């Protein structure tokens, strides 16, 4: 079993070189306390979904892939995911010290050589979470976070895991919610010895079966001791569901329920405040529906909440023809589905600390980080009152210190925006290219192809990375929005693990990872273009 190596500074030795190196290191860390050291990713690393605790999704340390060189990106290797019906894989990789960590479609978690894709180890969640089944697939949709010698991630059955990142040995696991529909789509935030993560649920989808006794899940945000796996605190997002009678077919009915936490938390280290967005109610109308929560990192106490929509009561039953009686919000028009699935960005406007976050109705909100007072809003869709959240901001946005970058999904067309962080003014916008469905693999299935931007946005210096439902991975100019590079992923790939793979839409949940001169993307999401093979994790490097 290979062991990842530790990077060493070239030329670090005796004499003048050693003195100069020591001075550079001293200058780099001058005035930095333990908090700053924790927040600063190691050179070449992308350690978590957020990239940094503030959720910037910006690797300012990347120096090889630049506006001048990005056109030279070529596919270096591909890793195949087995075909699992109904699974849209969204686990974004973490890359640390030459090793890539990523979740799999069939209840596995992998450590790969970041340069070659060669396997280092694989962890199977089944011995902990229970045997896999076709009816209840167990993908690892959560994106990992690496801290010290441990890697943390969640799975589709609601477990949080801590593994030795060098060997894959299980340090601990904790089922975060005993509800049978609980799952983890949120990705971990590791800070000051705690792991912060949201708990979501498959129960909204369970209502495709109208005989299902809807609904008894309630969302939460938890903090877990990073060393021991013991629960430190939990914030429930809605009161405990109670029986309130029956549905028209006699199935038991409960409320309130829902308010799952799909999104990934971020933190303002100076104030010790965790920020996270929440989902809608499934039944009833109570709790932190469609809200941004500011929680005390030490205790979980609510410092402030900003509730953007109330009530919002929605499950997939709301989309079933003739099932209006099973959609409680339809009668009064409150079946919006305008929750927050995106991670937030913590940044500064002058001396004012703020937190910004995108919502599924297509509005990006900015609040005072200390008080929750609204600073500005920007709608990036034509009509933010359109029912359903598929046209809006789905998974996450990026801040490079100069601009905010926001992308919309099925917005006819999906569009990538650069916003002024101080005012929300649109600095540039680039639509998903009109010819994206006319070339490459998606052209064979034009009825499936859509002009939509799917993943969370990522950035490095001068570049913006965003993929689409048309199966194209693109890199844009951060200053103008021009497309500088694109690659069609809807094709068969020869893979390093020998698993047949056929790329499909670029994966939501996470986004592109840029680390140590390489670009990594998951091509395993909706729409899934016809193939007997599963999706692919793709790695690109410069020629």
């Amino acid at each position: 079993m290979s062991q990842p190596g530790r990077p060493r500074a070239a030329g670090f030795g005796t004499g003048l070189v050693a003195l100069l190196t020591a001075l550079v290191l001293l200058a780099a860390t001058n005035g930095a306390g333990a908090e700053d050291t924790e927040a600063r990713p190691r050179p070449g690393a992308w350690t978590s979904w957020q990239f940094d605790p503030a959720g910037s999704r910006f690797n300012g340390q990347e120096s090889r892939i630049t506006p001048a060189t990005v056109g030279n990106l070529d596919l270096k290797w591909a890793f195949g995911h087995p075909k699992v019906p109904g699974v849209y894989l969204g686990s974004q990789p973490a890359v640390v010290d030459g090793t890539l960590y990523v979740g799999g479609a069939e209840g596995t978690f992998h450590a790969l050589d970041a340069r070659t894709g060669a396997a280092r180890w694989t962890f199977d969640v089944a011995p902990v979470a229970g045997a896999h089944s076709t009816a209840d697939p167990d993908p690892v949709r959560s994106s990992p976070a690496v801290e010290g010698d441990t890697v943390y991630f969640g799975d589709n059955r609601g477990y949080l895991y801590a593994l030795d990142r060098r060997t894959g040995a299980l340090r601990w696991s904790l089922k975060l919610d005993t509800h049978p529909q609980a799952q983890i789509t949120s990705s971990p935030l590791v800070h000051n010895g705690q792991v912060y993560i949201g708990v979501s649920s498959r129960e909204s989808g369970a209502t495709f079966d109208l005989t299902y006794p809807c609904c008894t899940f309630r969302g939460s945000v938890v903090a877990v001791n990073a060393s021991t796996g013991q629960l430190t605190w939990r914030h429930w997002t809605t009161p405990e569901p109670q029986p309130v009678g029956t549905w028209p077919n006699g199935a038991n009915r409960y409320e309130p329920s829902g308010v799952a936490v799909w999104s990934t938390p971020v933190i303002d280290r100076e104030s010790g405040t965790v920020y996270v967005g929440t989902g809608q109610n499934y039944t009833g109308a109570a709790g932190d529906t469609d809200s941004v929560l500011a929680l005390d990192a030490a205790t979980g106490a609510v410092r402030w909440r900003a509730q953007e929509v109330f009530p919002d009561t929605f499950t997939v039953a709301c989309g079933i023809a003739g099932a209006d009686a099973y959609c409680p919000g339809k009668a009064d028009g409150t079946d919006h589905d305008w929750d927050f699935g995106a991670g937030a960005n913590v940044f500064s406007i002058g001396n004012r600390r703020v937190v910004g976050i995108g919502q599924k109705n297509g509005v990006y909100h900015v609040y005072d980080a200390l008080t929750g007072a609204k600073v500005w809003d920007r709608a990036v869709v034509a009509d933010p009152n359109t029912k359903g959240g598929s046209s809006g901001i789905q998974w996450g946005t990026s801040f490079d210190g100069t601009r905010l970058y926001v992308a919309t999904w099925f917005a006819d067309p999906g569009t990538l925006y650069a916003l002024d962080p101080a005012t929300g003014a649109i600095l540039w916008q680039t639509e998903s290219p009109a010819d994206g469905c006319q070339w490459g693999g998606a052209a064979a299935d034009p009825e499936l192809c859509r002009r939509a931007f799917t993943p969370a946005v990522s950035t490095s210096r001068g570049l913006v990375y965003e993929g689409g439902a048309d199966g194209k991975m693109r890199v844009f100019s951060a200053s103008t929005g021009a497309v500088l590079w694109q690659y069609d992923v809807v094709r068969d790939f020869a893979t390093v693990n020998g698993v047949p793979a056929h790329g499909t839409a670029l994966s939501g949940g996470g986004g592109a990872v840029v680390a140590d001169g390489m670009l990594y993307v998951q091509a395993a999401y909706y729409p899934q273009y016809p193939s007997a093979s599963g999706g692919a994790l793709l790695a690109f490097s410069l020629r």
Side-chain angles (χ1 to χ4, degrees):
M1 193 174 296
S2 301
Q3 295 292 327
R6 293 181 178 273
R8 290 184 290 182
F12 192 92
T14 59
L16 180 60
V17 174
L19 176 60
L20 291 174
T21 303
L23 289 172
V24 169
L25 290 173
L26 178 62
T29 58
N30 184 38
E35 289 282 319
D36 294 312
T37 302
E38 175 194 68
R40 187 182 304 115
R42 290 171 286 281
W46 190 298
T47 62
S48 66
W49 188 97
Q50 306 91 334
F51 181 78
D52 52 31
S56 73
R57 297 189 57 84
F58 166 63
N59 189 350
Q61 298 173 324
E62 174 55 46
S63 60
R64 300 184 202 178
I65 303 175
T66 68
T69 65
V70 68
N72 295 322
L73 282 173
D74 267 347
L75 182 69
K76 186 174 180 65
W77 55 262
F79 178 89
H81 296 294
K83 181 81 168 183
V84 180
V87 169
Y88 306 132
L89 195 61
S91 180
Q92 173 189 291
V95 180
V96 181
D97 293 346
T99 300
L100 179 147
Y101 304 90
V102 70
E106 75 292 19
T108 51
F109 185 83
H110 306 280
L112 311 175
D113 184 296
R115 305 300 297 182
T116 68
R120 291 194 161 156
W121 51 257
T122 295
F123 178 82
D124 188 353
V125 306
V128 177
H132 314 299
S133 71
T134 304
D136 185 21
D138 196 20
V140 176
R141 294 177 59 184
S142 173
S143 303
V146 177
E147 181 66 28
D149 60 358
T150 306
V151 56
Y152 305 89
F153 65 94
D155 75 3
N156 208 45
R157 299 189 189 181
Y159 282 85
L160 178 65
Y161 299 86
L163 308 184
D164 184 305
R165 74 176 179 95
R166 302 192 184 281
T167 68
L170 179 66
R171 295 190 185 279
W172 54 258
S173 65
L174 177 66
K175 188 165 178 59
L176 297 180
D177 194 308
T178 59
H179 194 283
Q181 298 287 346
Q183 66 178 159
I184 308 299
T185 57
S186 178
S187 298
L189 166 70
V190 186
H191 167 76
N192 198 25
Q194 298 292 323
V195 183
Y196 303 92
I197 195 165
V199 183
S200 56
S201 169
R202 303 185 300 276
E203 195 172 37
S204 174
T207 60
F208 269 126
D209 175 3
L210 297 181
T211 66
Y212 180 81
C214 178
C215 278
T216 56
F217 172 81
R218 57 174 175 158
S220 64
V221 183
V222 301
V224 177
N225 185 289
S227 298
T228 68
Q230 294 181 321
L231 185 70
T232 302
W233 56 254
R234 182 191 303 270
H235 171 77
W236 294 108
T237 56
T238 193
E240 187 171 0
Q242 302 295 328
V244 292
T246 59
W247 296 100
N249 61 13
N252 290 331
R253 176 173 177 169
Y254 302 86
E255 61 180 53
S257 64
V259 195
V261 181
W262 298 89
S263 62
T264 294
V266 301
I267 191 168
D268 178 23
R269 294 178 298 109
E270 293 184 5
S271 66
T273 307
V274 173
Y275 303 96
V276 68
T278 70
Q280 80 281 353
N281 279 122
Y282 300 158
T283 54
D288 299 326
T289 308
D290 297 2
S291 296
V292 180
L293 300 178
L295 305 176
D296 185 300
T299 67
V302 176
R303 289 184 166 168
W304 56 260
R305 62 168 56 82
Q307 190 166 50
E308 291 297 336
V309 181
F310 185 83
D312 182 359
T313 307
F314 176 89
T315 69
V316 296
C318 296
I320 299 176
D324 290 4
Y326 299 88
C327 176
K330 183 156 287 189
D332 59 3
T334 61
D335 55 330
H336 303 296
D337 192 23
W338 290 340
D339 51 296
F340 287 93
N345 314 111
V346 180
F347 57 99
S348 295
I349 301 175
N351 294 325
R352 188 181 197 182
R353 199 68 166 158
V354 299
V355 56
I357 189 169
Q359 190 175 359
K360 282 172 59 179
N361 64 350
V363 179
Y364 189 89
H365 308 272
V366 174
Y367 311 89
D368 185 288
L370 293 179
T371 67
K374 184 64 68 72
V375 179
W376 56 261
D377 278 336
R378 169 61 60 183
V380 292
V381 296
D383 182 7
N385 295 313
T386 301
K387 287 293 179 70
S390 62
S391 66
I393 303 163
Q394 293 297 309
W395 293 114
T397 50
S398 184
F399 175 66
D400 66 359
T402 302
R403 306 174 192 87
L404 287 161
Y405 303 93
V406 177
T408 57
W409 197 18
F410 296 121
D412 295 326
T415 303
L416 177 65
Y417 296 85
L419 305 182
D420 184 327
T423 65
I426 297 174
L427 303 176
W428 56 254
Q429 61 188 78
T430 300
E431 294 181 351
S432 175
D435 67 350
C437 295
Q438 300 169 12
W439 66 277
D445 297 283
E447 73 284 359
L448 293 178
C449 188
R450 296 286 295 276
R451 296 172 63 192
F453 287 126
T454 309
V457 185
S458 304
T459 55
S460 64
R461 293 193 181 277
L463 298 172
V464 184
Y465 304 79
E466 179 66 4
D470 61 1
K472 311 302 188 294
M473 181 63 211
R474 297 182 175 92
V475 185
F476 304 80
S477 166
S479 57
T480 68
V483 176
L484 301 181
W485 176 86
Q486 58 184 336
Y487 182 92
D488 177 46
V489 305
V490 185
R491 63 180 79 181
D492 292 328
F493 291 96
T495 65
V496 294
N497 58 333
V499 175
H502 186 85
T504 180
L506 276 297
S507 292
V513 165
V514 189
D516 198 20
M518 294 189 67
L519 167 65
Y520 305 92
V521 299
Q522 290 270 34
Y525 207 65
Y526 174 83
Q528 291 189 336
Y529 295 96
S531 174
S533 302
L537 167 67
L538 305 176
F540 300 88
S541 64
L542 296 170
R543 291 193 291 269

